[in-house]
Structures are given as structure tokens and as C-alpha cells.
Amino acid sequence: MWMQSSNGKYGLTSQLEVWQKLGGSSCRTCEGQIQNFSKQVGWNMSSQVIPIPREFPG
């Protein structure tokens, strides 16, 4: 379902293929692979962290 709806961009199978192509299966810390993976699959890995409020409005 995810594969069809996203034209092959999302879904475990396509993301696993990207991870394996980047060498993610054999890295130690995987920092570089994680950064490259996030770029290829379109994840936002910005350094800005938005704090989560302790209480959500009702």
C-alpha cells in the first residue's frame, strides 16, 4: 500500500534497499549512512529540535 501510494518512495522494502546500498548493513556507528539515508528518503534531519510541551491543550 505505501509503495503504491508513494510511487515507491516509502515502504519498508524500498527503504531497506536504500539502506543496504549505502552500506548500512555493515557499518559500525553508521553516522554517515544515516545522514545519506535520510537525504535519499526525504527525512528532515535538521539540527533544530522543537520541544514537546508537557501538557497538550484539551
Side-chain angles (χ1 to χ4, degrees):
M1 182 170 121
W2 281 100
M3 293 287 290
Q4 292 173 343
S5 299
S6 67
N7 295 321
K9 185 174 181 180
Y10 300 109
L12 182 59
T13 304
S14 59
Q15 291 184 1
L16 178 60
E17 289 174 8
V18 171
W19 181 248
Q20 290 173 335
K21 287 178 185 175
L22 294 172
S25 300
S26 60
C27 58
R28 284 186 170 217
T29 63
C30 300
E31 288 181 40
Q33 287 85 351
I34 292 169
Q35 290 178 358
N36 291 331
F37 175 81
S38 66
K39 289 177 187 175
Q40 287 202 12
V41 297
W43 290 356
N44 182 5
M45 298 289 286
S46 69
S47 61
Q48 183 179 10
V49 177
I50 300 171
I52 299 173
R54 294 185 187 260
E55 293 184 26
F56 293 97

